[in-house]
Amino acid sequence: MVTKYSVSRTPVVHALRRLANEKILEVHKNGRFVVPVPNKKTVSDVCRARLLLEERAIDMIMDKPFSQSVFTKLYDIADTSRESLKLHNDTESVKNDMLFHRTLVMCSDSECLIDLHRLELNRFIGIKYTLRDQYETQKEAVNRHFEIVDQMCNGNRAAAIEGIKEHILQTMHRLCNKVE
């Protein structure tokens, strides 16, 4: 990486250590960094942690006075993701998918929730990348995002939470089926 990006070793080592601290990379005894191969327990744990955090975020958002700007922000991200799919730009759609989930939690205004979610979402991204599960069912994910925002706009907390639950657990089962 040092040669490829023409940078000194220090920032590269710091970045790799940070990724290791966030459980995105593992450090072997010889000092080498590797992407961990996920197992079913890890996939399940990460997805269930995300689920708890995102359900709580929805609860916290729904406890606040109605804020059209929150729902507009989430809707716009889902719409951008859908437009990326129409243009066959799956990578951009997946980026917006992750942005949707980050923004959902950020709208809770809970620093603790945001910090915990960032760690789990990063681990989730690593798992999806390792299992080469970036684009399957992306259209379904985008549609689910619109449904969740609609339920929240309509004040239907239970349906919004059920929507995020189905969305994340469906992904968890698909990923677990890819693990050997």
Side-chain angles (χ1 to χ4, degrees), residues 23 94 97 102 136 170-171:
K23 307 280 193 243
V94 170
D97 184 336
R102 275 194 178 99
E136 300 173 11
Q170 190 174 55
T171 301

Side-chain angles (χ1 to χ4, degrees), residues 33-69:
F33 293 88
V34 296
V35 177
V37 177
N39 57 41
K40 287 184 182 190
K41 182 178 181 340
T42 301
V43 170
S44 178
D45 288 350
V46 169
C47 289
R48 290 181 189 282
R50 275 190 60 210
L51 177 58
L52 290 171
L53 296 167
E54 292 184 33
E55 284 177 334
R56 182 66 187 129
I58 290 171
D59 260 340
M60 293 174 80
I61 292 166
M62 301 293 289
D63 283 344
K64 295 185 209 176
F66 182 84
S67 171
Q68 186 62 46
S69 66

Side-chain angles (χ1 to χ4, degrees), residues 56-126:
R56 182 66 187 129
I58 290 171
D59 260 340
M60 293 174 80
I61 292 166
M62 301 293 289
D63 283 344
K64 295 185 209 176
F66 182 84
S67 171
Q68 186 62 46
S69 66
V70 167
F71 303 119
T72 300
K73 192 181 303 183
L74 290 168
Y75 189 88
D76 287 348
I77 294 167
D79 194 45
T80 302
S81 188
R82 179 173 55 194
E83 291 304 313
S84 297
L85 278 179
K86 286 180 184 176
L87 297 171
H88 304 288
N89 189 342
D90 294 339
T91 302
E92 197 60 33
S93 183
V94 170
K95 285 181 189 176
N96 280 295
D97 184 336
M98 296 300 104
L99 179 60
F100 178 89
H101 293 276
R102 275 194 178 99
T103 304
L104 175 69
V105 175
M106 288 175 70
C107 289
S108 72
D109 293 328
S110 168
E111 286 184 36
C112 183
L113 204 63
I114 293 165
D115 288 345
L116 291 169
H117 186 262
R118 180 182 50 80
L119 292 172
E120 291 308 315
L121 192 59
N122 286 344
R123 290 179 72 193
F124 176 77
I125 292 167

